[in-house]
Amino acid sequence: MIRALSALSSVLIMVSACGPSSPPDPEERRLLTEVLVEMHLAHARANLGHGLLQSKDSLLTGYGLDSVAFNRLVEKHIDSDGAFNDAYEQVLDRLSEERHRQSESDDIGPPGVR
């Protein structure tokens, strides 16, 4: 009986340890959004010939992350119901705002000059 309870306790501890992680907090959501926006913008700048593509590691270091920490951050959002989709919606909104801001700045200047 004691052996069965001990085995059951071990199983419960293992299951609870393997359960879903806590949902990302607002600061983690903001960080993921910032990093993903910057990754997209870096790729866009490089594709448009506005400089070289910054390495992922260099970009992450600027946010105090390395690849392992970034992957954990992404996994935490994926493991939390809908959190990654919500964060990515924010990324798309920010990129859209940036595109709009860029198109407005392109429209500023003397007539006929772009």
Side-chain angles (χ1 to χ4, degrees), residues 81-93:
D81 189 36
F84 187 80
N85 288 341
D86 292 344
Y88 210 80
E89 283 293 322
Q90 291 178 351
V91 169
L92 295 175
D93 289 346

Side-chain angles (χ1 to χ4, degrees), residues 36-82:
L36 291 175
V37 165
E38 187 56 38
M39 285 180 171
H40 281 289
L41 292 176
H43 279 272
R45 286 189 292 268
N47 287 337
L48 293 171
H50 299 292
L52 299 174
L53 180 60
Q54 183 179 8
S55 76
K56 178 182 171 186
D57 290 336
S58 175
L59 189 142
L60 292 176
T61 300
Y63 287 93
L65 298 170
D66 59 17
S67 290
V68 172
F70 176 70
N71 290 340
R72 283 189 194 133
L73 184 62
V74 170
E75 287 172 10
K76 186 171 188 175
H77 280 77
I78 289 172
D79 289 345
S80 181
D81 189 36

Side-chain angles (χ1 to χ4, degrees), residues 19-32:
S21 60
S22 61
D25 62 42
E27 181 60 25
E28 291 171 320
R29 169 93 36 99
R30 184 201 62 74
L31 179 60
L32 179 64

Side-chain angles (χ1 to χ4, degrees), residues 88-105:
Y88 210 80
E89 283 293 322
Q90 291 178 351
V91 169
L92 295 175
D93 289 346
R94 291 272 308 282
L95 291 172
S96 180
E97 290 169 12
E98 184 66 28
R99 182 177 178 195
H100 180 73
R101 200 173 11 254
Q102 183 63 40
S103 68
E104 283 182 346
S105 70

